Amino acid sequence: MEKKLRILITGASRGIGYATAAKLCARSQKLFVTAKHSSTIEKAVQSLRSLCSGEICFFNFDQADSKLSSEKLKDWINKKTDYLDAIILCAGDYVEGKIQNINDSDFINNMNTNFYFNYYAVNALIPLLKNSKNPRIIIIGSTAAYGAYSVPTYSVTKWALRGYAKNLRKELIDDGIGVTFISPGGTLTDMWEGVELPPNRLLEPCDIAKVVDIIFDLSPQAVVDEIIIKPILGDVDE
């Protein structure tokens, strides 16, 4: 496998983001990874370096400060590369509570983290994608983007993200930039910490990483528009 790709992955310190970074190490000439906390991304990079022969660059920022964080990301990555082959947006967060009762600032921060940051970041980095021969934007959504969900604010943010992805894909057709929206069902990440479930009830983060990896084997004219991946028994709240 030729190691030539320059890939950015947000939320790469844990869960789906880390699993995706680990899976794509074999494809990467330069792997750019980000997370909220410096300690967690540094620890993740230490582990990733045992898998990667290419260069790994890391950066930390809080996506809840969506506009400023996207500007910081743009400044950082433009100093390190003149093109990107892929942007993979994995980072996200959730807030418990009913929509009618949730604190305003919590709702806004959740929208900033899960939606607005991705909007700002993609706009900031599209010029780098246009310098690639086969650019891709891969957005990790959720099955929460298709109906009411047990964590309603999270669901609202993922609905917004799905609508954004569908419109972005249409808008970027003439630029040859493929946009993919991947919607995992319940996956064994921090979101389920403390919830008692039978063994193997949830997806593994590596399941999603494998699907992301396959996208890079497609011909340049092919795009995975949207895909749903669920546990074989369905989502827990179905």
Side-chain angles (χ1 to χ4, degrees):
M1 183 183 297
E2 188 179 359
K3 299 173 183 176
K4 61 180 182 179
L5 299 180
R6 298 187 181 187
I7 299 172
L8 167 67
I9 303 174
T10 67
S13 66
R14 59 187 184 179
I16 293 172
Y18 176 81
T20 300
K23 186 66 176 176
L24 295 181
C25 274
R27 296 187 184 272
S28 301
Q29 178 198 69
K30 285 189 176 183
L31 187 61
F32 303 94
V33 292
T34 74
K36 182 176 179 179
H37 301 291
S38 60
S39 58
T40 57
I41 193 62
E42 288 171 7
K43 183 178 180 180
V45 167
Q46 288 178 2
S47 178
L48 289 171
R49 282 189 172 137
S50 67
L51 304 173
C52 291
S53 59
E55 182 181 357
I56 302 178
C57 305
F58 62 94
F59 193 55
N60 69 283
F61 51 80
D62 186 355
Q63 289 190 186
D65 193 353
S66 55
K67 180 65 171 176
L68 180 59
S69 292
S70 67
E71 291 172 353
K72 288 180 178 178
L73 175 62
K74 176 184 177 181
D75 291 343
W76 172 71
I77 208 162
N78 271 283
K79 293 175 182 176
K80 296 183 175 296
T81 185
D82 57 357
Y83 71 91
L84 281 172
D85 296 296
I87 298 172
I88 304 174
L89 302 169
C90 296
D93 202 356
Y94 71 98
V95 180
E96 297 279 5
K98 295 182 178 180
I99 294 174
Q100 59 189 309
N101 297 330
I102 197 168
N103 182 282
D104 287 351
S105 62
D106 286 342
F107 182 85
I108 291 168
N109 284 341
N110 205 211
M111 283 294 294
N112 282 336
T113 299
N114 292 1
F115 176 66
Y116 282 113
F117 169 81
N118 294 320
Y119 160 75
Y120 289 129
V122 167
N123 280 353
L125 299 177
I126 278 178
L128 293 180
L129 287 172
K130 288 182 177 180
N131 291 335
S132 169
K133 293 181 180 179
N134 186 22
R136 303 281 173 170
I137 298 171
I138 300 170
I139 301 173
I140 304 301
S142 169
T143 52
Y146 299 84
Y149 197 66
S150 56
V151 187
T153 298
Y154 179 78
S155 179
V156 170
T157 66
K158 294 300 184 177
W159 272 91
L161 195 59
R162 181 176 171 230
Y164 168 69
K166 293 178 79 69
N167 284 277
L168 185 66
R169 181 189 182 287
K170 184 174 183 180
E171 191 170 305
L172 293 179
I173 286 175
D174 291 340
D175 294 302
I177 300 176
V179 178
T180 297
F181 189 73
I182 298 178
S183 296
T187 306
L188 191 58
T189 65
D190 292 353
M191 185 173 180
W192 294 93
E193 187 174 355
V195 179
E196 294 187 9
L197 293 169
N200 304 319
R201 181 62 181 85
L202 301 176
L203 299 170
E204 298 287 343
C206 63
D207 293 327
I208 314 308
K210 290 173 184 176
V211 173
V212 172
D213 184 56
I214 289 171
I215 290 171
F216 294 96
D217 288 329
L218 301 178
S219 60
Q221 67 270 25
V223 64
V224 177
D225 184 0
E226 187 172 3
I227 186 168
I228 297 173
I229 310 162
K230 289 186 179 183
I232 198 165
L233 295 177
D235 275 338
V236 173
D237 62 349
E238 284 186 332

